[in-house]
């Protein structure tokens, strides 16, 4: 039985005041949440989020990392640094990083490796663009993305990896994949993993992301191979986020 995991991706949103209200709001409703819950804060707010979430079941994630341990990399943040702030999870390969910052499958695979080497759980994101779906390339794209990571870290490493399937056309658009579209791709991803190891395929969490909301969360997470959500917009309101957490 896979545990449901709900991760909030705040992206480049927040302020000290918002972090305070948001985290306190989430914590106030966590008592009856059975899912594992993570919030991925922008780097400057990790310390504040960690302090607010101390002694709670809420876990803190970062949104990216640099592959180097330290040195002359102006503007970058290392795995060790985020760990210093009690971070347990890190988003790797989000479609915004891939498309806006040129992260290739190889860079993403290296980041997954560095996260694992530092005992951080990668939230490893994959997903196709609209034109790729429309031209029937969804399976080829997610295969390429998953295989790049398997080739780098090996299938055993998936014991410590959370996969997030996020169709790019559904991110921030209000257009969610239908439960059937999402389930079909999740099942395909699980089969990809099963080609290497069927037990690991069964135990790997595969989250859905892309306009998940209080309205559609229950139906999406009711699908056999959807083990939770990576939530952008709806993670910025405690009430909406909690609603999704409780749907899982
Ligand atoms: P969204 O973002 O929920 O706003 O679509 C999801 C994500 O980018 O992780």
């Amino acid at each position: 039985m896979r545990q449901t995991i709900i991760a909030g991706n705040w992206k480049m949103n927040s302020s000290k005041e918002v972090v305070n209200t948001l985290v306190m709001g989430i914590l106030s409703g966590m008592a009856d949440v059975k899912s594992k819950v993570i919030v991925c804060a922008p780097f400057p707010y990790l310390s504040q989020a960690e302090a607010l979430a101390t002694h709670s079941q809420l876990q803190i994630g970062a949104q990216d990392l640099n592959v180097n341990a330290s040195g002359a990399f102006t503007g970058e943040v290392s795995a060790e640094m985020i760990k210093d702030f009690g971070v347990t999870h890190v988003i790797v390969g989000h479609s915004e990083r891939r498309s806006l910052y040129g992260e290739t499958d190889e860079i993403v695979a290296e980041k997954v490796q560095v996260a694992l080497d530092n005992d951080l759980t990668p939230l490893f994101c994959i997903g196709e663009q609209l034109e790729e779906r429309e031209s029937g390339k969804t399976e080829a794209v997610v295969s390429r993305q998953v295989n790049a990571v398997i080739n780098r870290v090996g299938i055993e490493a998936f014991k410590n990896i959370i996969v997030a399937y996020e169709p790019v056309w559904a991110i921030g658009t209000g257009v969610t994949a239908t439960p059937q579209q999402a389930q079909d791709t999740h099942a395909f991803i699980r089969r990809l993993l099963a080609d290497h190891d069927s037990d690991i395929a069964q135990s790997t969490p595969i989250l859905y992301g892309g306009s998940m909301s209080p309205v559609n969360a229950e139906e999406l997470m009711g699908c056999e191979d959807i083990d939770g959500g990576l939530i952008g917009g709806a993670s910025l309101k405690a009430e909406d986020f909690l609603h999704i957490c409780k749907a899982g």
Side-chain angles (χ1 to χ4, degrees):
M1 219 3 217
R2 296 179 294 268
Q3 190 193 12
T4 303
I5 301 170
I6 309 292
N9 174 11
W10 295 349
K11 308 193 179 183
M12 199 173 74
N13 296 296
S14 257
S15 65
K16 281 201 266 187
E17 200 183 326
V18 170
V19 171
N20 204 50
T21 313
L22 190 47
V23 175
M24 295 308 280
I26 295 168
L27 292 176
S28 71
M30 285 285 281
D32 42 350
V33 171
K34 291 180 196 72
S35 315
K36 183 197 281 235
V37 182
I38 306 149
V39 288
C40 300
F43 294 134
Y45 301 111
L46 289 174
S47 169
Q48 188 188 354
E50 181 205 17
L52 289 166
T54 309
H55 305 308
S56 79
Q57 58 183 117
L58 181 65
Q59 293 184 275
I60 307 298
Q63 297 175 15
D64 187 28
L65 47 65
N66 185 277
V67 295
N68 297 285
S70 63
F73 303 98
T74 302
E76 293 296 294
V77 175
S78 71
E80 278 197 17
M81 289 174 178
I82 58 179
K83 274 186 65 175
D84 235 1
F85 292 99
V87 164
T88 50
H89 295 71
V90 59
I91 298 173
V92 174
H94 189 278
S95 70
E96 287 148 21
R97 302 287 327 163
R98 291 178 188 262
S99 64
L100 301 174
Y101 301 99
E103 292 195 7
T104 60
D105 289 332
E106 288 64 39
I107 293 173
V108 172
E110 191 179 1
K111 289 188 172 188
V112 168
Q113 167 104 68
V114 170
L116 292 168
D117 289 349
N118 284 277
D119 297 322
L120 291 162
T121 304
L123 287 152
F124 161 47
C125 301
I126 56 175
E128 81 289 359
Q129 309 269 351
L130 182 60
E131 58 275 20
E132 292 168 333
R133 172 159 288 264
E134 286 177 346
S135 56
K137 293 194 188 121
T138 299
E139 294 188 351
V141 170
V142 299
S143 301
R144 194 199 70 222
Q145 293 169 330
V146 169
N147 285 332
V149 169
I150 296 177
N151 291 341
R152 173 96 196 196
V153 299
I155 191 68
E156 281 285 313
F158 277 73
K159 287 180 178 161
N160 298 309
I161 291 174
I162 299 170
V163 177
Y165 168 61
E166 300 201 299
V168 180
W169 46 272
I171 295 178
T173 58
V175 181
T176 318
T178 65
Q180 192 61 54
Q181 282 173 322
Q183 164 58 27
D184 287 350
T185 311
H186 280 234
F188 173 77
I189 296 161
R190 210 177 293 290
R191 286 200 298 279
L192 270 180
L193 300 176
D195 287 343
H196 297 265
D197 188 307
S198 55
D199 289 344
I200 288 175
Q202 277 313 309
S203 61
T204 301
I206 308 179
L207 315 187
Y208 169 81
S211 299
M212 195 186 263
S213 72
V215 175
N216 57 34
E218 195 170 348
E219 203 185 352
L220 283 162
M221 290 193 279
C223 298
E224 193 183 334
D225 288 293
I226 301 182
D227 307 314
L230 180 55
I231 325 296
S235 72
L236 294 167
K237 278 199 197 132
E239 199 188 346
D240 288 354
F241 189 61
L242 278 170
H243 192 116
I244 297 172
C245 292
K246 286 174 191 166

